[in-house]
Amino acid sequence: MKPETRNDDPATPDRRIRSFVKREGRLTPGQQRNLEDLWPRFGLDPADGAFDWAVIFGRDVPRTLEIGFGAGEVLATLAAAQPDEDFIGIEVYRSGVGRLLGEAAQGQMTNLRAICADAVEVIDHAIPTASLDTVLLYFPDPWPKKRHHKRRLVQTAFADRVHRILKPGGVWRLATDWANYAEWMREVLDVHPGFENIGDDNGCVSQPPRPATRFEQRGLRRGHAVVDLAYRRR
């Protein structure tokens, strides 16, 4: 199994192979209300230009970005438990964004912001270089069929992007419940010159610093083994 060394990534973003298919269901009334009422408070729009985190949060503290936060349970839990750090999440599906906005408002989480957009485009156009301490990528779509492997988010080109936005010494944490995708991630990242595997002796992380997610629990019910990985930016 040999990962592709790069995505189909020409200059025009609409030609890029995406790692997601936009099939969004109907929003619940609560999610719609959260998007309408809470977005001005917790939402960020990459169309406004590059983010200035110190201005957005009013302070300069460690920052974590979660890519594809789903329902937002990990991000909300981390933000609530670590009020002295700032957390940003990117999710393309509005239902998940609406759910997270509700959690942020209920918990009065001034240290949390959400972005509803394609993560690759956000990284390319709105996230400053070396501005993040941690990047999280938990349970991305595994695209299990071989003909769809080109859609997997973890590719060399994407690793280059994460490397750019992480501070030197920053950490990229990943998790998947698909063994084939875990192998793929390692084949991409273990040889990347900008990253160092900081897992246990076997290269994986046995006790990851994160709460369980719905995707993880679903995978476990199906008999899948969960693999966590961690890489430090050189």
Side-chain angles (χ1 to χ4, degrees):
M1 178 185 58
K2 183 179 180 181
E4 297 176 2
T5 57
R6 63 183 299 276
N7 274 333
D8 180 13
D9 196 21
T12 50
D14 59 334
R15 292 180 57 196
R16 177 174 52 81
I17 297 174
R18 284 176 165 78
S19 64
F20 62 91
V21 176
K22 195 70 178 291
R23 294 173 179 167
E24 187 168 64
R26 182 177 299 177
L27 297 173
T28 67
Q31 291 166 352
Q32 183 65 49
R33 185 168 56 254
N34 289 342
L35 289 168
E36 294 172 355
D37 297 344
L38 300 176
W39 182 258
R41 180 177 169 189
F42 296 105
L44 297 176
D45 188 349
D48 293 337
F51 299 129
D52 185 329
W53 303 127
V55 171
I56 290 169
F57 291 103
R59 60 183 185 175
D60 189 6
V61 298
R63 304 180 195 98
T64 293
L65 170 70
E66 183 175 10
I67 297 169
F69 59 74
E73 61 264 54
V74 170
L75 202 60
T77 299
L78 293 175
Q82 302 175 64
D84 293 333
E85 299 186 11
D86 291 332
F87 295 84
I88 308 105
I90 303 175
E91 175 56 56
V92 73
Y93 296 108
R94 294 188 303 153
S95 57
V97 175
R99 182 189 293 264
L100 179 64
L101 296 181
E103 292 286 338
Q106 184 176 3
Q108 299 181 344
M109 300 175 192
T110 59
N111 62 333
L112 189 152
R113 295 294 187 276
I115 303 164
C116 188
D118 179 343
V120 170
E121 294 178 10
V122 174
I123 291 172
D124 285 352
H125 302 296
I127 298 185
T129 297
S131 67
L132 300 170
D133 297 87
T134 307
V135 172
L136 308 177
L137 181 64
Y138 291 150
F139 304 98
D141 193 323
W143 293 102
K145 295 181 180 179
K146 187 173 182 179
R147 69 176 183 272
H148 292 153
H149 284 181
K150 61 187 176 183
R151 291 187 175 275
R152 287 177 166 176
L153 188 57
V154 178
Q155 311 274 356
T156 302
F158 186 73
D160 293 341
R161 288 179 163 96
V162 174
H163 183 271
R164 180 187 69 80
I165 62 177
L166 273 172
K167 297 176 183 178
V171 175
W172 184 9
R173 297 189 178 278
L174 309 91
T176 180
D177 64 323
W178 285 81
N180 176 270
Y181 201 5
E183 294 173 7
W184 175 285
M185 289 173 172
R186 291 202 59 180
E187 290 186 10
V188 171
L189 298 178
D190 282 1
V191 299
H192 193 288
F195 288 102
E196 173 191 5
N197 188 317
I198 57 171
D200 302 335
D201 291 342
N202 64 356
C204 301
V205 177
S206 59
Q207 295 182 322
R210 62 171 179 81
T213 73
R214 292 187 304 132
F215 291 105
E216 177 178 9
Q217 292 165 350
R218 183 176 64 184
L220 292 172
R221 288 195 298 269
R222 294 175 176 176
H224 297 179
V226 173
V227 177
D228 278 80
L229 302 169
Y231 291 84
R232 180 182 292 118
R233 182 198 191 279
R234 298 183 189 274

